[in-house]
Amino acid sequence: MRDERSAEFFDAAARSALAIRRCADCWHWLEPEARTCTSCGGSELNWLDAIGTGELVSWSVVHHPPHPSFAGLVPFAVGQIELAEGPWVEARLTELDLGALRVGLPLCVAFVHPDEGDAFPVFAPDRG
């Protein structure tokens, strides 16, 4: 949900870029939700575009739609993805057979641009 702290993340998604945080003091990469650096404790975190690739770490399969708008999507997977930069992000997994899910599966970011509301990232198999 967009708020003052997440606006840059959603602005990046609107241009099909995955924004994550990076500490200005030690250059450690952090997940988008970070408020302080987990490496040095610094509080000056900048938004930068991630490469957009990573590997599947863990996942769960959703069988009951969390909202009526998801009714046509179930079952679908939500995964924890370790980005090439290091931090983990959580996102819906798309364009794959649920039976193909495995730890270490190479993934790349894609974006959903709904007619209403903010664009958001999803991850699909990295085919290249």
Side-chain angles (χ1 to χ4, degrees), residues 30-117:
L30 301 147
E31 68 279 351
E33 299 86 9
R35 300 292 173 246
T36 59
C37 179
T38 56
S39 181
C40 74
S43 60
E44 186 179 341
L45 307 181
N46 300 314
W47 286 101
L48 296 170
D49 290 351
I51 294 168
T53 61
E55 293 185 353
L56 186 59
V57 175
S58 180
W59 66 90
S60 61
V61 177
V62 177
H63 293 277
H64 179 72
H67 184 274
S69 63
F70 285 83
L73 299 175
V74 292
F76 65 89
V78 175
Q80 290 283 332
I81 300 96
E82 182 175 8
L83 297 175
E85 293 83 359
W88 291 16
V89 295
E90 184 175 274
R92 185 164 51 96
L93 305 177
T94 64
E95 300 178 32
L96 49 74
D97 177 67
L98 296 178
L101 296 172
R102 62 176 172 77
V103 171
L105 179 68
L107 299 169
C108 66
V109 71
F111 292 87
V112 175
H113 296 273
D115 292 337
E116 293 184 27

